[in-house]
């Protein structure tokens, strides 16, 4: 709902509060979201799973070279 800023702000606040106290599994293609909110990133690329202990170091599929 890009046009509804109040709704987005409320959802963002709820997400932040939950993320501080819980583990959350999120499927996303949004690189900036993953780097900002995730501690660990799992990347599934061409059927292979890669685990990155630091989200900032994760090479997301669009950034990887083709094998």
């Amino acid at each position: 709902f890009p046009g509804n800023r109040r709704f987005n702000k409320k959802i963002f606040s709820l997400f932040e509060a939950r993320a501080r106290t819980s583990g959350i599994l999120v499927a996303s293609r949004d690189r900036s979201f993953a780097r900002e909110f995730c501690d660990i990133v799992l990347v599934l690329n061409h059927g292979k799973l890669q685990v990155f202990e630091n989200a900032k170091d994760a090479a997301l599929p669009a950034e990887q070279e083709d094998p």
Side-chain angles (χ1 to χ4, degrees):
F1 306 107
N4 192 337
R5 288 181 186 209
R6 193 171 92 196
F7 175 80
N8 286 342
K9 187 174 180 178
K10 181 178 180 179
I11 294 299
F12 182 77
S13 294
L14 290 171
F15 179 83
E16 279 188 311
R18 179 65 57 95
R20 278 188 239 114
T21 60
S22 305
I24 300 173
L25 179 62
V26 177
S28 178
R29 293 180 182 208
D30 184 339
R31 291 179 205 89
S32 60
F33 176 88
R35 288 192 171 121
E36 184 173 348
F37 292 104
C38 299
D39 297 321
I40 298 173
V41 173
L42 304 175
V43 175
L44 182 60
N45 190 22
H46 298 289
K48 294 183 181 179
L49 185 65
Q50 295 175 284
V51 178
F52 295 91
E53 299 278 337
N54 181 340
K56 306 260 186 293
D57 295 337
L60 301 176
E63 300 167 349
Q64 295 174 343
E65 293 181 23
D66 289 329

